[in-house]
Amino acid sequence: MAIEKELFRQVMGRFATGVTVVTTSSNDVLAGLTVNSFCSVSLNPPLVLICIDNNSSTLPFLRESKIFAVNMLAKHQEQWSRGFATNSPERFEHFCYAPHYTVATGAPIIKDVLAFIDARIVAEYPGGDHVIFLGQVVAMGTPEHMGFVDEHGNIQSEPDGQPATNGHGLHKEEEPLLYYGGQYRHLTRLFHEPSLIEEQHAENVGEAARN
């Protein structure tokens, strides 16, 4: 029995995701689209994947350039998510007027995003009505730190005291823009459960203090 597309959307919509804008540059033309089908794949070497609709106007630019940047949006950047998801002259001719800079590959990094990944495409796979791109990370950054990946897959952080990015102005406590159930969402500050890593770190600190 065929699965109803609307039911499939509803089910997948129950999985909360962050919101990103995937960008690239080919022959001095900037292109970008809103993407939430993004995830990390490997730590060594650092790899990520993105899924792009076969009908996306950005797809030819990704194939030509062989590069992309993943811009992880903060909660105040909903306008970039909406802008890069619409078919408009502002998007196709003016890159939504988004202020940007480049780091390693030449793919544009939108200013003040929560974090970014700068990658080179190393593989492409068919995925039904989407294309799956595997990207090898060459640079990454948050408001506090920026790092580059060397030829051996090792991540080299910027020296202490260096700015995390070119003009990155976010406060480190900025929160992400989320998407759930077909709507944009924000985190609440009223609840925070320590992760297993945080709990283990606290245990180790306590044990060290006792010793």
Side-chain angles (χ1 to χ4, degrees), residues 25 57 74 101 120 133 142 153 180-182 187-188 190 201 207:
S25 176
S57 60
Y101 56 96
R120 299 190 186 280
F133 287 109
T142 70
Y180 174 79
L187 288 177
T188 175
L190 300 179
H201 176 71
E207 183 177 349

Side-chain angles (χ1 to χ4, degrees), residues 28-169:
D28 297 323
V29 177
L30 304 182
L33 76 163
T34 303
V35 170
N36 66 350
S37 296
F38 155 71
C39 69
S40 62
V41 175
S42 166
L43 286 175
N44 186 24
L47 300 171
V48 297
L49 70 77
I50 56 173
C51 298
I52 308 298
D53 192 294
N54 286 331
N55 296 319
S56 171
S57 60
T58 306
L59 182 57
F61 293 96
L62 290 165
R63 284 173 165 158
E64 291 168 3
S65 68
K66 304 297 184 184
I67 60 172
F68 66 83
V70 179
N71 297 268
M72 305 175 200
L73 300 186
K75 67 179 182 180
H76 69 277
Q77 295 178 316
E78 186 178 319
Q79 75 272 23
W80 302 137
S81 176
R82 294 186 182 276
F84 284 100
T86 58
N87 295 322
S88 66
E90 288 77 15
R91 174 188 171 193
F92 297 129
E93 299 174 17
H94 304 288
F95 198 63
C96 292
Y97 298 101
H100 58 276
Y101 56 96
T102 60
V103 174
T105 67
I109 310 298
I110 298 175
K111 185 178 179 182
D112 290 346
V113 290
L114 195 65
F116 73 87
I117 293 289
D118 200 1
R120 299 190 186 280
I121 295 173
V122 294
E124 174 184 332
Y125 305 100
D129 55 11
H130 279 61
V131 175
I132 303 167
F133 287 109
L134 187 67
Q136 184 157 349
V137 179
V138 296
M140 66 195 78
T142 70
E144 300 86 37
H145 303 288
M146 184 165 69
F148 296 87
V149 183
D150 63 22
E151 65 273 16
H152 304 294
N154 300 314
I155 300 172
Q156 307 294 330
S157 296
E158 284 283 273
D160 291 342
Q162 293 295 317
T165 59
N166 182 12
H168 216 313

